[in-house]
Amino acid sequence: MNIPFLDLKVQFREIEHEVLPMVKEAMENAAFIGGPQVSGFETEFATFCDSRHCAGVNSGTDALRFALMAAGVGPGDEVITVPHTFIATTEAISQVGAKPVFVDIDPKTYNMDPNKLENYLRKRLDGPSTSNHDPGSRIQTQPKAVIPVHLYGQPADMDPILEIAKKNNLVVIEDACQAHGALYKGKKAGSMGLVGCFSFYPGKNLGAYGEGGAVVTESEDMANKIRMIRDHGQAKKYYHDLEGYNGRLDAIQAGVLRIKLKRLDSWNAARRQNAAYYDDLLSKIPGVTIPFQADYAKSVYHLYVILADDREGLQRHLSDKGIGTGLHYPVPLHLQKAYAAQGYKQGDFPVTESVAKRLLSLPMFPELTKAQIEYVADCIAQYMQR
Ligand SMILES: Cc1ncc(COP(=O)(O)O)c(C=O)c1O
């Protein structure tokens, strides 16, 4: 049996009859940038996220970058996030001129540990020299924002994070790029911070047929600022209040996203069902740790990630059996070359480091069949019991 890590072709067959006429209509009307597809999608996605406003942008990275800019984050500011995420989270921070700093994750959920956030801020009050990982730098930075990442489709523990942020005057920007439709105590991922940032990279739970992203927010002011930033800093054509970016969501991608959004709840339900079946089969195999779902969370399983000690061997075995897998993410951000100048070292974030060595993402998409899940579980059992 051949089981890809992700199969976007099978999903296309389900929506082809809507996508192709939509693309043809866009060509016939020469409607490519802005227009009713983009505004229609923004209204529908805001509603989906239980948020008042949505601004479509060109990627999840742009969503984070524009959100930080609109929130006034820049040089001299620290933005606190986790080392266990995709680098886009920290690229956005650095690219607005701020400094990314890390706190470790919870060993069960793999998301930001609110206690570690609190400890970091407490230490920070004692003075920058005790916790600043950039001792050579003469620039004193102050914590300004926190970015919890809802990794793999499960929301971070938002209540304590929001409370700590409030106490310390920090802006909260949710990185919901992997969590479209996920719930925290019944609240939609992306709807709890000042803004929520989404990616519509093709492999996401809601994926475009190209690049795409969005910011959702209750704040009209933030939404307006982000709309300006995505469009060269202009609210009116050729009148630029500030320098922005070319970071718009295009009309054909918005059209694709509208077609897919109607199906997202049922696709997410199918992912949850697949995860439950994996859980059932894999929990019986010694040496495999299945994903933990916290009481407060309803995960949408963007990824289904297990832990196993001999992860490389298991990955090779699954590959030999025709099963695609992934590593999300093998090198923690604090140990990446890109952040070497910050002076972090091995051992600084032990939970992240331990998880990064053992994680393995299994095939996960709504159309995965029971037979495919059984085959993956059988192959894992074979390897673990060898
Ligand atoms: C957690 C996280 N943040 C940010 C991004 C960036 O999104 P994009 O690839 O659309 O720029 C991604 C997507 O890969 C992501 O997974």
Side-chain angles (χ1 to χ4, degrees):
M1 209 187 277
N2 246 319
I3 308 179
F5 177 62
L6 173 66
D7 189 345
L8 291 175
K9 293 177 198 153
V10 60
Q11 189 190 68
F12 177 62
R13 270 176 243 131
E14 186 188 332
I15 57 174
E16 181 179 1
H17 66 285
E18 289 186 52
V19 172
L20 295 184
M22 181 280 295
V23 174
K24 187 162 183 273
E25 196 184 316
M27 306 278 170
E28 282 171 354
N29 296 336
F32 305 114
I33 309 291
Q37 288 289 26
V38 173
S39 56
F41 171 71
E42 288 178 337
T43 304
E44 288 157 15
F45 194 63
T47 303
F48 177 83
C49 292
D50 296 332
S51 290
R52 202 162 301 182
H53 305 280
C54 167
V57 296
N58 192 48
S59 66
T61 313
D62 272 357
L64 288 160
R65 195 174 15 218
F66 300 170
L68 287 161
M69 277 178 79
V73 176
D77 295 328
E78 271 180 20
V79 181
I80 306 164
T81 190
V82 285
H84 187 55
T85 177
F86 182 55
I87 193 169
T89 315
T90 45
E91 280 175 332
I93 298 168
S94 305
Q95 287 166 6
V96 301
K99 178 181 171 184
V101 296
F102 300 114
V103 296
D104 212 348
I105 55 169
D106 176 89
K108 281 169 130 177
T109 63
Y110 317 142
N111 279 327
M112 179 178 280
D113 181 340
N115 294 319
K116 303 271 169 56
L117 175 64
E118 188 151 44
N119 291 346
Y120 174 77
L121 289 163
R122 198 175 309 124
K123 262 200 252 163
R124 205 68 183 72
L125 284 177
D126 297 341
S129 56
T130 55
S131 57
N132 193 330
H133 278 272
D134 194 0
S137 167
R138 271 176 282 126
I139 302 167
Q140 292 296 313
T141 51
Q142 283 302 321
K144 170 83 178 242
V146 56
I147 306 186
V149 183
H150 307 314
L151 205 70
Y152 306 154
Q154 166 156 250
D157 191 0
M158 287 303 290
D159 277 352
I161 292 172
L162 288 166
E163 197 186 309
I164 296 163
K166 197 170 169 196
K167 224 167 47 193
N168 291 277
N169 254 330
L170 301 181
V171 171
V172 179
I173 292 173
E174 291 176 68
D175 184 336
C177 287
Q178 300 191 3
H180 319 68
L183 296 177
Y184 176 80
K185 299 185 183 173
K187 292 183 199 141
K188 281 276 167 72
S191 71
M192 293 167 277
L194 176 64
V195 292
C197 299
F198 290 87
S199 162
F200 305 127
Y201 185 76
K204 298 292 197 255
N205 289 33
L206 179 63
Y209 287 146
E211 303 284 358
V215 178
V216 298
T217 180
E218 287 297 292
S219 157
E220 190 174 357
D221 179 49
M222 284 295 288
N224 287 339
K225 280 184 183 151
I226 288 162
R227 290 200 174 102
M228 277 175 67
I229 293 167
R230 76 177 175 188
D231 195 17
H232 301 287
Q234 59 186 358
K236 189 174 154 200
K237 204 168 170 83
Y238 301 135
Y239 290 79
H240 308 272
D241 292 1
L242 46 94
E243 273 191 0
Y245 287 86
N246 175 357
R248 299 168 298 242
L249 176 67
D250 80 58
I252 289 176
Q253 298 310 336
V256 170
L257 293 167
R258 292 181 86 182
I259 291 165
K260 290 190 171 194
L261 184 59
K262 292 185 283 186
R263 295 163 168 92
L264 184 57
D265 280 334
S266 83
W267 286 342
N268 280 342
R271 283 175 184 269
R272 289 178 53 77
Q273 215 168 22
N274 294 341
Y277 198 38
Y278 265 133
D279 283 352
D280 187 33
L281 301 176
L282 299 179
S283 57
K284 298 175 187 125
I285 306 173
V288 171
T289 304
I290 60 168
F292 171 80
Q293 196 181 214
D295 288 348
Y296 52 69
K298 191 166 175 187
S299 171
V300 288
Y301 291 96
H302 170 56
L303 296 170
Y304 186 91
V305 180
I306 59 166
L307 299 188
D309 281 343
D310 179 18
R311 175 267 301 285
E312 266 78 21
L314 178 58
Q315 185 175 37
R316 267 194 308 276
H317 173 76
L318 294 179
S319 170
D320 291 345
K321 297 284 175 188
I323 299 167
T325 56
L327 303 181
H328 303 91
Y329 299 90
V331 181
L333 290 184
H334 67 285
L335 300 177
Q336 295 279 358
K337 238 194 241 169
Y339 297 111
Q342 289 207 22
Y344 286 113
K345 59 186 185 317
Q346 193 89 31
D348 280 341
F349 303 103
V351 183
T352 292
E353 290 166 26
S354 153
V355 169
K357 277 189 208 122
R358 294 180 295 143
L359 53 78
L360 185 66
S361 305
L362 303 182
M364 171 52 82
F365 45 93
E367 301 80 8
L368 204 57
T369 65
K370 275 188 117 175
Q372 288 175 315
I373 293 170
E374 283 160 14
Y375 178 70
V376 175
D378 284 348
C379 292
I380 292 174
Q382 237 176 48
Y383 187 76
M384 300 307 283
Q385 288 153 16
R386 74 201 182 282

